[in-house]
Amino acid sequence: MAHKSFSLDFHSWDKAWYTVRLVLQGENLIVKYNNFTNDHDESYSAASFKDLKELEAFIERFRPTAIQLQDHECRRVVEGMTVCASFEFGKDDIKFHDAVVEAVNFKDHKFDSEELCTCKFRLFWINGANAGNRTDGVVADICLLQAGDVQKHPIFKLFLEIAKRKLKVTSLCSAQVAEGELPASHGAAVDLIVDKKSKSSPKEIKSYKHSLSTAREFKIRSFDHLGRNGQDMDLTEEAPGSRYMLIENLEKDLPSSAIVDFIKKHLSISSQAEVSPSLSMESFTRGIITVDGQEELQKLSQFLGNPAHIILSSRGRPWVIAEKKLWCGVVGATIGNTKMLSESLSCDKKLETGDKIRICSRGTDEYKRGMQLKELYLEFANHQKGLHQQFAREESKILKLSTVR
């Protein structure tokens, strides 16, 4: 169901504001961008918020739709006012960001068949690619912010009620885990290194949490794209376990918390991450990013594989997805059901994520250099794959001979 009479603007991952419609599907809020195809829809689960603070941050990404300033209304704009203004970054690339009006140069209007404003507005950009810069705008660039409580939007209100109930349940379950109890309701979602079926003492649970936070241990039961019986599994269905994908060519000193923060910053979804140990002769390593559902995985996959940009380390090393597989399995604990893993992967306050991982747009020198390095890595990976296959064949021959003897 959707609601059209109460329009909202949404602060997207690119820091721009877009007018959206909201649709509630079960416990998922679907954000549909006006004048965009359904491929751009974003889904947010009511169970994905780890605490009330995170939910409140999500609420702040919505506001009543800003109203386009009309030619005869230019006098409503005054110095010091915050507006939502458009800026053309390129052909067919117009984005709306917040800006402060530093000065207004009022001019006489022209009149033909209608009134035409010729005033100029000096804008200081608050966010977006122009943040910190000043540009001149005209009346057509300016939208006025509107007062209103977004939580009164009927669809959004219902979604928030569900999310708050989920938080209460999660808070209760976390308290039980702290006491050494693992609720039965978590049975299908939690696969701890400490077997939940055994009578683990509170001391053992604390020991597990300590080892997880220091070593970031993962217990993984991967299904790849196959089911438990080797059958093809359609991951659009509610298959058991988390969804995850493998990332290659990572920096060996990249903290897993930097990946979690990076995904949160650009996609607004919760995730888990682990950077694998590597051989001393290797100049790179591999990692795993885990999310709770298929929609989040598809969103992550589309973001990482978007040809419009490339993801680079601070040293210029590009992230690579060598295997185009979407995996299903159980990694530690699911994101919405326990705080254990999220606590271990929370942001390291000493780490500046922006210094570790960057996004470079197509057309820049960094993008071109990153693509060259990516092609080099893929060439290396394909050669390595051939060697693995040759090794497997030779190994199989020797094993068969030894069996015959």
Side-chain angles (χ1 to χ4, degrees):
M1 50 182 173
H3 189 81
K4 297 183 179 179
S5 62
F6 189 167
S7 182
L8 294 176
D9 282 352
F10 179 64
H11 206 207
S12 189
W13 61 269
D14 61 356
K15 304 303 180 184
W17 289 94
Y18 297 87
T19 301
V20 298
R21 293 184 300 109
L22 302 183
V23 175
L24 194 62
Q25 294 181 352
E27 296 182 348
N28 295 322
L29 182 70
I30 310 301
V31 178
K32 303 179 76 67
Y33 291 86
N34 286 9
N35 303 318
F36 286 84
T37 64
N38 292 338
D39 293 337
H40 293 85
D41 291 355
E42 296 181 13
S43 176
Y44 297 89
S45 170
S48 64
F49 304 99
K50 64 181 180 182
D51 53 36
L52 188 59
K53 183 178 179 180
E54 191 172 279
L55 179 59
E56 289 173 348
F58 181 67
I59 295 173
E60 291 176 358
R61 296 179 63 189
F62 293 85
R63 69 186 183 194
T65 294
I67 305 300
Q68 174 68 54
L69 184 68
Q70 300 301 310
D71 290 74
H72 66 278
E73 297 178 313
C74 59
R75 295 281 174 176
R76 295 179 60 183
V77 180
V78 296
E79 293 182 7
M81 174 186 287
T82 299
V83 297
C84 184
S86 65
F87 187 87
E88 186 173 349
F89 292 94
K91 185 178 180 181
D92 299 326
D93 186 17
I94 299 175
K95 288 185 169 59
F96 286 82
H97 298 283
D98 287 348
V100 175
V101 179
E102 285 196 336
V104 182
N105 183 11
F106 291 112
K107 296 183 179 181
D108 293 335
H109 290 193
K110 295 180 179 180
F111 292 88
D112 190 1
S113 58
E114 59 184 16
E115 183 175 355
L116 179 63
C117 176
T118 59
C119 304
K120 298 290 185 180
F121 305 91
R122 188 66 170 173
L123 302 175
F124 176 80
W125 296 92
I126 300 174
N127 53 31
N130 269 336
N133 295 333
R134 292 173 174 83
T135 63
D136 289 329
V138 297
V139 67
D141 300 325
I142 308 297
C143 292
L144 301 180
L145 302 183
Q146 302 298 303
D149 184 1
V150 298
Q151 297 187 55
K152 291 183 179 180
H153 186 289
I155 302 299
F156 198 38
K157 180 181 179 180
L158 182 56
F159 173 76
L160 294 177
E161 289 174 353
I162 298 172
K164 289 174 182 178
R165 286 200 300 269
K166 292 285 185 182
L167 283 175
K168 288 181 180 179
V169 172
T170 301
S171 177
L172 175 62
C173 292
S174 298
Q176 289 176 298
V177 170
E179 293 298 321
E181 301 177 12
L182 290 172
S185 61
H186 281 191
V190 181
D191 185 17
L192 300 176
I193 293 176
V194 178
D195 188 352
K196 65 180 179 60
K197 294 181 180 179
S198 64
K199 296 182 178 180
S200 305
S201 67
K203 183 177 180 180
E204 290 173 320
I205 296 294
K206 290 179 181 178
S207 175
Y208 164 73
K209 291 178 70 177
H210 174 72
S211 65
L212 187 61
S213 62
T214 55
R216 292 188 174 96
E217 293 184 51
F218 280 79
K219 184 179 181 182
I220 303 174
R221 290 191 287 119
S222 62
F223 297 102
D224 192 2
H225 63 302
L226 300 179
R228 295 176 183 270
N229 299 319
Q231 304 287 327
D232 283 340
M233 178 185 292
D234 182 2
L235 293 186
T236 60
E237 299 176 356
E238 289 300 321
S242 302
R243 270 66 172 169
Y244 57 95
M245 62 191 311
L246 305 179
I247 309 297
E248 300 188 37
N249 203 36
L250 300 179
E251 298 288 359
K252 299 175 74 170
D253 59 351
L254 177 66
S256 55
S257 57
I259 299 177
V260 171
D261 290 344
F262 178 77
I263 298 301
K264 185 68 177 177
K265 176 182 178 182
H266 293 283
L267 295 181
S268 299
I269 60 176
S270 298
S271 63
Q272 301 167 7
E274 174 68 359
V275 178
S276 304
S278 61
L279 299 174
S280 58
M281 66 179 180
E282 293 179 317
S283 59
F284 60 88
T285 189
R286 302 164 184 82
I288 181 173
I289 302 176
T290 309
V291 293
D292 242 1
Q294 177 62 15
E295 292 179 353
E296 288 86 350
L297 183 62
Q298 292 289 357
K299 186 176 180 181
L300 176 63
S301 177
Q302 291 171 5
F303 171 69
L304 297 182
N306 190 340
H309 61 239
I310 190 169
I311 299 170
L312 303 175
S313 71
S314 57
R315 303 182 184 96
R317 184 185 297 279
W319 284 17
V320 177
I321 306 174
E323 289 192 353
K324 306 296 184 181
K325 293 181 180 179
L326 303 182
W327 299 58
C328 176
V330 179
V331 183
T334 57
I335 296 170
N337 291 326
T338 180
K339 296 197 309 180
M340 286 187 179
L341 202 54
S342 61
E343 284 176 352
S344 72
L345 297 178
S346 61
C347 177
D348 183 350
K349 298 303 181 183
K350 298 179 181 178
L351 170 69
E352 291 293 336
T353 304
D355 294 336
K356 296 291 182 181
I357 309 171
R358 296 173 295 144
I359 297 180
C360 294
S361 301
R362 180 197 291 269
T364 62
D365 290 339
E366 286 185 310
Y367 179 93
K368 295 175 182 177
R369 186 165 52 249
M371 288 302 296
Q372 287 180 331
L373 291 170
K374 186 174 182 178
E375 291 172 3
L376 178 64
Y377 181 88
L378 288 173
E379 182 180 348
F380 162 76
N382 289 332
H383 177 68
Q384 193 176 46
K385 182 179 179 181
L387 291 176
H388 278 299
Q389 293 173 343
Q390 181 181 350
F391 171 78
R393 288 193 296 268
E394 297 299 325
E395 182 184 46
S396 178
K397 291 178 183 178
I398 295 174
L399 290 174
K400 285 181 179 178
L401 286 174
S402 62
T403 303
V404 172
R405 294 174 183 174

